[in-house]
Amino acid sequence: MYRYDEFDAAFVAARTAQFSDQVKRRLAGELSEDQFRPLRLMNGLYLQLHAYMLRIAVPYGTLSSKQMRMFAHIARTYDRGYGHFTTRQNIQFNWPKLKDIPTILEELASVEMHAIQTSGNCIRNVTADHFAGAAADEIIDPRPIAEILRQWSSLHPEFSYLPRKFKIAMTGAPNDRAAIRFHDIGLQAATNAAGEIGWEVWVGGGLGRTPMIGKLINSFVPNEHLLAYLESIMRVYNRYGRRDNKYKARIKILVHEEGLETIKGQVEAEFAEVRGGVLTLPQEEVDRITAYFAPPQFTEQPATKIDVAYQSIIDPAYGRWLDHNINSHRVPGYASVTVSLKPVGGAPGDATDKQMDDIADIAERYGFDELRVTHEQNLVLPHVAVADLRAVYDALVATGLAEGNTGLITDMICCPGLDFCALANARSIPIAQEISQKFASPERQAEIGDLKIKISGCINACGHHHVGHIGILGVEKKGGELYQITLGGDATEQAAVGKIVGPGFEADAVPGAIETIVDTYLARRQNADESFIQAYRRLGEAVFKEALYGAA
């Protein structure tokens, strides 16, 4: 993984010192909250419903055991003993005291981490496929380019105060595990007729109040011109993006209202001016950064496969974990392990300080000292020997994170909701917990199969409800909480925005409504191999709507 050089270390240290001074001035009353707000947001500090919340960047989702242990230390020392992993591959701490923020940032800097640009109207943390560098279907590891984009975008003088926040996601594989079509810019590895590897560029995707699928603006941009091309997009957005209306300020609205061809014309004109200039990315720089991401020293393994069916007979829980939480690796004898942060009845994405310490120990012993954060609020050990899978599983059992449910109905995305967030209209976590408990039976989950539920507590859609196979949106109505249900969303390369199926439900009726939808699917599917989303696309929404609300 990337290591800070002298510039990086000095940059983070200077920024930390600057913000520490701003915090001291706020505590002394020299800065009002209105004056402090834009300063703290650019350093990842929010004022939530009950306390400050600090969001720490995990660039492209990659971190080491040492860095995970620092998260555990922060949770234990400055928070309430846990952290919350987010859909942006970050971690949030919900209860730090303002006076402790400078110390936290200094301690983060000691392990090469920071909170810079995890909020504000700027380019946020660049996210990537959580199996990057390990996946069997990968064309190229996207993380070296993601690191270059991180360096390019950090305190970029033109793009520190954009019309609105800006998010970039990358994948190096044809199977999109980074939801790139729902970002302001999405990058997907591609090859041209000459066999050269470059990037498809998608623009104008996003969720929130107006969910939109990104549009392909360029089918192939080589590495050497990628910075120039992205800077061209950013300049067009910075110039024409709406600053008079925050609801229309995202680039997706600009692309929608002006049309892709108009925006592409503007971008190409800008690109013609800057192409071949100072933004040209030298191959030696790409090689220098890529060297940081050299694969571990894999060794030939005695075991390259595991008999999941047999293991399921002798230990069903272990068999379920093998069946759902293991991803194929590009090197024979190795696998990628998803560590589910979705125990039945738990708050999705949360991990205690002890669990973070334990996971760091597991990664150090069995995973080449490397961890990933997924945009679905789980963790990943990207490189584990097949022969060590049982030992890893046993260690996860001991720390309470051995749930074999990745991709199943209890593996939900869920925002913090009204329990924490000042923007939320409704609670999210209790809804997720109740659904999880209703479908707690492993046999029931296995029968249902692949089904993604995503829950948001407000229209900002931090829980990605628009792209859930089943999406749940909490809204406020007459002083109470009401939950709209959407069906048919998909965050993969088959991108789709879910449709609202009908009137909302009271909180206590939501788990039953989800059960009705699931039962309808099970009764109507063609066979056990037809997933929920496949059945929905074949059947349409009418049969589910009738099951929920009765015949018209």
Side-chain angles (χ1 to χ4, degrees):
M1 58 188 296
Y2 183 73
R3 306 295 307 182
Y4 281 9
D5 60 17
E6 290 182 4
F7 175 87
D8 295 310
F11 170 79
V12 172
R15 183 69 175 200
T16 300
Q18 180 192 53
F19 188 55
S20 295
D21 179 65
Q22 292 165 351
V23 169
K24 290 173 185 175
R25 290 162 62 201
R26 173 71 185 114
L27 290 169
E30 297 172 14
L31 290 175
S32 69
E33 175 54 33
D34 285 344
Q35 292 171 321
F36 185 53
R37 184 175 182 274
L39 304 176
R40 63 172 169 79
L41 287 178
M42 286 292 285
N43 289 276
L45 189 63
Y46 286 76
L47 185 56
Q48 295 262 74
L49 199 59
H50 308 293
Y52 283 103
M53 179 269 282
L54 180 64
R55 179 183 294 152
I56 297 164
V58 184
Y60 35 88
T62 297
L63 71 162
S64 67
S65 299
K66 183 179 181 180
Q67 291 169 329
M68 182 64 85
R69 289 193 184 98
M70 178 56 72
F71 290 165
H73 164 72
I74 292 169
R76 190 162 43 242
T77 308
Y78 305 106
D79 207 276
R80 296 188 177 179
Y82 70 96
H84 176 73
F85 290 95
T86 79
T87 56
R88 291 294 302 159
Q89 296 181 315
N90 297 315
I91 187 171
Q92 295 179 177
F93 292 102
N94 290 310
W95 302 100
K97 293 180 173 62
L98 182 57
K99 68 179 180 62
D100 292 329
I101 297 300
T103 304
I104 294 173
L105 294 179
E106 288 173 5
E107 293 185 355
L108 282 170
S110 74
V111 294
E112 302 183 352
M113 302 199 87
H114 61 76
I116 300 167
Q117 291 185 199
T118 56
S119 183
N121 293 337
C122 55
I123 300 173
R124 302 281 186 91
N125 185 38
V126 178
T127 58
D129 179 1
H130 43 270
F131 294 132
D137 63 341
E138 191 171 70
I139 298 170
I140 189 174
D141 185 346
R143 293 175 303 154
I145 299 301
E147 171 57 29
I148 289 170
L149 295 185
R150 183 192 69 81
Q151 295 184 19
W152 161 75
S153 63
S154 294
L155 298 190
H156 192 297
E158 279 189 64
F159 308 139
S160 289
Y161 293 96
L162 294 166
R164 197 72 170 86
K165 59 187 176 181
F166 204 93
K167 300 175 182 179
I168 300 174
M170 305 183 68
T171 181
N175 297 303
D176 181 9
R177 290 177 289 264
I180 66 160
R181 289 161 181 80
F182 292 99
H183 284 74
D184 299 285
I185 289 177
L187 300 173
Q188 186 158 21
T191 54
N192 63 11
E196 299 168 320
I197 296 174
W199 303 93
E200 286 182 357
V201 182
W202 297 73
V203 68
L207 300 175
R209 186 175 297 271
T210 313
M212 291 185 180
I213 300 171
K215 296 175 175 60
L216 184 65
I217 192 171
N218 197 313
S219 60
F220 188 84
V221 178
N223 281 341
E224 65 176 319
H225 298 310
L226 186 61
L227 288 185
Y229 197 80
L230 296 190
E231 184 132 332
S232 299
I233 293 174
M234 298 303 303
R235 285 181 173 178
V236 170
Y237 170 55
N238 204 22
R239 185 182 307 136
Y240 298 112
R242 296 281 295 272
R243 283 183 162 85
D244 62 325
N245 186 333
K246 70 177 182 178
Y247 301 118
K248 295 185 177 183
R250 298 291 292 270
I251 193 173
K252 63 185 178 183
I253 303 299
L254 182 65
V255 173
H256 174 72
E257 292 188 344
E258 299 296 328
L260 178 64
E261 291 308 312
T262 297
I263 297 301
K264 185 173 182 176
Q266 294 280 352
V267 170
E268 293 295 337
E270 188 71 41
F271 185 48
E273 294 290 328
V274 298
R275 177 173 178 156
V278 296
L279 290 169
T280 302
L281 186 57
Q283 185 59 44
E284 55 266 29
E285 180 63 8
V286 176
D287 293 341
R288 184 182 73 85
I289 299 294
T290 300
Y292 286 106
F293 297 91
Q297 294 297 311
F298 298 116
T299 58
E300 187 172 348
Q301 291 295 308
T304 58
K305 295 182 180 180
I306 192 164
D307 189 339
V308 177
Y310 173 72
Q311 296 295 334
S312 297
I313 294 171
I314 62 174
D315 187 342
Y318 179 49
R320 286 192 296 272
W321 183 80
L322 289 172
D323 200 26
H324 298 293
N325 291 41
I326 306 304
N327 197 71
S328 59
H329 199 282
R330 63 183 181 83
V331 177
Y334 288 86
S336 296
V337 174
T338 298
V339 179
S340 172
L341 298 183
K342 319 289 176 58
V344 171
D350 281 8
T352 68
D353 58 322
K354 183 181 185 306
Q355 287 173 331
M356 287 189 273
D357 274 335
D358 289 345
I359 292 168
D361 291 343
I362 294 168
E364 197 168 61
R365 183 171 182 182
Y366 299 110
F368 296 96
D369 196 27
E370 188 173 336
L371 288 152
R372 307 286 174 80
V373 182
T374 82
H375 84 276
E376 294 187 319
Q377 297 178 290
N378 290 317
L379 301 174
V380 166
L381 299 161
H383 315 293
V384 175
V386 170
D388 290 332
L389 287 176
R390 181 71 211 203
V392 169
Y393 172 76
D394 289 341
L396 291 172
V397 169
T399 198
L401 294 176
E403 197 76 40
N405 66 343
T406 302
L408 301 180
I409 192 169
T410 57
D411 181 19
M412 287 171 275
I413 287 180
C414 178
C415 75
L418 195 56
D419 287 312
F420 297 97
C421 184
L423 301 176
N425 303 119
R427 296 165 299 157
S428 297
I429 295 171
I431 299 297
Q433 290 171 318
E434 290 172 20
I435 294 172
S436 173
Q437 289 163 342
K438 178 171 278 291
F439 294 96
S441 165
E443 293 75 20
R444 177 79 161 147
Q445 293 183 53
E447 179 190 21
I448 297 166
D450 180 28
L451 199 164
K452 296 184 182 298
I453 295 180
K454 305 177 193 287
I455 307 172
S456 298
C458 79
I459 198 65
N460 288 301
C462 294
H464 293 193
H465 67 276
H466 293 297
V467 292
H469 298 162
I470 300 175
I472 302 172
L473 168 64
V475 298
E476 186 274 333
K477 187 171 183 180
K478 298 179 180 178
E481 296 168 296
L482 202 67
Y483 295 85
Q484 294 177 345
I485 293 177
T486 59
L487 297 177
D490 191 342
T492 71
E493 62 279 3
Q494 299 178 34
V497 174
K499 295 181 180 179
I500 298 174
V501 71
F505 293 86
E506 301 288 343
D508 59 0
V510 173
I514 301 304
E515 187 168 44
T516 298
I517 293 168
V518 169
D519 287 344
T520 303
Y521 153 63
L522 293 174
R524 296 293 194 107
R525 67 182 179 183
Q526 291 179 323
N527 53 57
D529 292 329
E530 185 178 40
S531 69
F532 176 86
I533 191 64
Q534 290 169 337
Y536 174 81
R537 288 169 178 163
R538 176 177 59 83
L539 294 167
E541 70 173 29
V543 296
F544 297 96
K545 188 169 186 174
E546 182 174 340
L548 282 170
Y549 304 104

